CSV table of all heavy atoms in Angstrom, one decimal:
chain,number,residue,atom,x,y,z
A,372,VAL,N,-25.0,5.9,-9.7
A,372,VAL,CA,-24.7,6.8,-10.8
A,372,VAL,C,-25.7,6.2,-11.9
A,372,VAL,O,-25.9,5.0,-12.0
A,372,VAL,CB,-23.3,6.7,-11.3
A,372,VAL,CG1,-22.4,7.3,-10.3
A,372,VAL,CG2,-22.8,5.3,-11.6
A,373,GLU,N,-26.1,7.1,-12.8
A,373,GLU,CA,-27.1,6.7,-13.9
A,373,GLU,C,-26.4,5.8,-14.8
A,373,GLU,O,-27.0,4.9,-15.3
A,373,GLU,CB,-27.7,8.0,-14.5
A,373,GLU,CG,-28.5,8.8,-13.6
A,373,GLU,CD,-29.1,10.0,-14.3
A,373,GLU,OE1,-28.9,10.2,-15.5
A,373,GLU,OE2,-29.8,10.7,-13.6
A,374,GLU,N,-25.1,6.2,-15.3
A,374,GLU,CA,-24.5,5.5,-16.3
A,374,GLU,C,-23.0,5.1,-15.7
A,374,GLU,O,-22.3,6.1,-15.5
A,374,GLU,CB,-24.4,6.2,-17.5
A,374,GLU,CG,-23.7,5.5,-18.7
A,374,GLU,CD,-23.7,6.3,-20.0
A,374,GLU,OE1,-24.3,7.4,-20.1
A,374,GLU,OE2,-23.1,5.8,-20.9
A,375,LYS,N,-22.7,3.9,-15.7
A,375,LYS,CA,-21.4,3.5,-15.2
A,375,LYS,C,-20.3,3.7,-16.3
A,375,LYS,O,-20.7,3.6,-17.5
A,375,LYS,CB,-21.4,2.0,-14.7
A,375,LYS,CG,-22.3,1.8,-13.5
A,375,LYS,CD,-22.1,0.4,-13.0
A,375,LYS,CE,-22.8,0.2,-11.7
A,375,LYS,NZ,-22.5,-1.2,-11.1
A,376,PRO,N,-19.1,4.0,-16.0
A,376,PRO,CA,-18.1,4.3,-17.0
A,376,PRO,C,-17.8,3.0,-17.7
A,376,PRO,O,-18.0,1.9,-17.1
A,376,PRO,CB,-16.9,4.7,-16.1
A,376,PRO,CG,-17.1,4.2,-14.8
A,376,PRO,CD,-18.6,4.2,-14.5
A,377,LYS,N,-17.2,3.1,-19.0
A,377,LYS,CA,-16.9,2.0,-19.7
A,377,LYS,C,-15.7,1.3,-19.0
A,377,LYS,O,-14.8,1.9,-18.5
A,377,LYS,CB,-16.4,2.5,-21.1
A,377,LYS,CG,-17.6,3.1,-22.0
A,377,LYS,CD,-17.1,3.5,-23.3
A,377,LYS,CE,-18.3,4.0,-24.2
A,377,LYS,NZ,-17.8,4.5,-25.5
A,378,THR,N,-15.7,0.0,-19.2
A,378,THR,CA,-14.7,-0.9,-18.5
A,378,THR,C,-13.3,-0.5,-18.8
A,378,THR,O,-12.5,-0.3,-17.8
A,378,THR,CB,-15.0,-2.3,-18.8
A,378,THR,OG1,-16.3,-2.7,-18.5
A,378,THR,CG2,-14.0,-3.2,-18.0
A,379,GLY,N,-13.0,-0.4,-20.0
A,379,GLY,CA,-11.6,0.0,-20.4
A,379,GLY,C,-11.2,1.3,-19.9
A,379,GLY,O,-10.0,1.4,-19.3
A,380,GLU,N,-11.9,2.2,-20.0
A,380,GLU,CA,-11.6,3.6,-19.6
A,380,GLU,C,-11.5,3.7,-18.0
A,380,GLU,O,-10.6,4.3,-17.4
A,380,GLU,CB,-12.6,4.6,-20.0
A,380,GLU,CG,-12.4,6.1,-19.7
A,380,GLU,CD,-13.4,7.0,-20.1
A,380,GLU,OE1,-14.4,6.6,-20.8
A,380,GLU,OE2,-13.3,8.2,-19.8
A,381,PHE,N,-12.4,3.0,-17.4
A,381,PHE,CA,-12.4,2.9,-15.9
A,381,PHE,C,-11.1,2.3,-15.4
A,381,PHE,O,-10.5,2.8,-14.4
A,381,PHE,CB,-13.6,2.2,-15.4
A,381,PHE,CG,-13.7,2.0,-14.0
A,381,PHE,CD1,-14.2,3.0,-13.2
A,381,PHE,CD2,-13.3,0.8,-13.3
A,381,PHE,CE1,-14.2,2.9,-11.7
A,381,PHE,CE2,-13.2,0.7,-11.9
A,381,PHE,CZ,-13.8,1.7,-11.2
A,382,ILE,N,-10.8,1.1,-15.9
A,382,ILE,CA,-9.6,0.5,-15.5
A,382,ILE,C,-8.3,1.3,-15.7
A,382,ILE,O,-7.4,1.4,-14.9
A,382,ILE,CB,-9.3,-0.9,-16.2
A,382,ILE,CG1,-10.4,-1.9,-15.7
A,382,ILE,CG2,-8.0,-1.5,-15.9
A,382,ILE,CD1,-10.4,-3.1,-16.3
A,383,LYS,N,-8.1,2.0,-16.9
A,383,LYS,CA,-7.0,2.8,-17.2
A,383,LYS,C,-6.9,3.9,-16.2
A,383,LYS,O,-5.9,4.2,-15.6
A,383,LYS,CB,-7.1,3.4,-18.6
A,383,LYS,CG,-6.0,4.3,-18.9
A,383,LYS,CD,-6.2,4.9,-20.3
A,383,LYS,CE,-5.0,5.9,-20.7
A,383,LYS,NZ,-5.0,7.0,-19.7
A,384,ASN,N,-8.1,4.6,-15.9
A,384,ASN,CA,-8.1,5.8,-15.0
A,384,ASN,C,-7.8,5.3,-13.6
A,384,ASN,O,-7.1,6.0,-12.9
A,384,ASN,CB,-9.5,6.4,-15.1
A,384,ASN,CG,-9.7,7.1,-16.4
A,384,ASN,OD1,-8.8,7.4,-17.1
A,384,ASN,ND2,-10.9,7.4,-16.8
A,385,SER,N,-8.2,4.1,-13.3
A,385,SER,CA,-8.0,3.6,-11.8
A,385,SER,C,-6.6,3.3,-11.6
A,385,SER,O,-6.0,3.7,-10.6
A,385,SER,CB,-8.9,2.4,-11.6
A,385,SER,OG,-10.2,2.7,-11.7
A,386,VAL,N,-5.9,2.6,-12.6
A,386,VAL,CA,-4.5,2.3,-12.5
A,386,VAL,C,-3.7,3.6,-12.5
A,386,VAL,O,-2.7,3.8,-11.6
A,386,VAL,CB,-4.0,1.4,-13.6
A,386,VAL,CG1,-2.5,1.2,-13.6
A,386,VAL,CG2,-4.8,0.1,-13.6
A,387,GLU,N,-4.0,4.5,-13.4
A,387,GLU,CA,-3.3,5.8,-13.4
A,387,GLU,C,-3.4,6.6,-12.0
A,387,GLU,O,-2.4,7.1,-11.5
A,387,GLU,CB,-3.8,6.7,-14.6
A,387,GLU,CG,-3.1,8.0,-14.6
A,387,GLU,CD,-3.5,8.9,-15.8
A,387,GLU,OE1,-3.9,8.3,-16.8
A,387,GLU,OE2,-3.4,10.1,-15.7
Side-chain angles (χ1 to χ4, degrees):
V372 294
E373 295 182 359
E374 184 178 355
K375 291 188 177 182
K377 295 181 179 179
T378 302
E380 181 180 356
F381 177 83
I382 291 179
K383 178 183 179 298
N384 291 339
S385 297
V386 172
E387 181 177 333

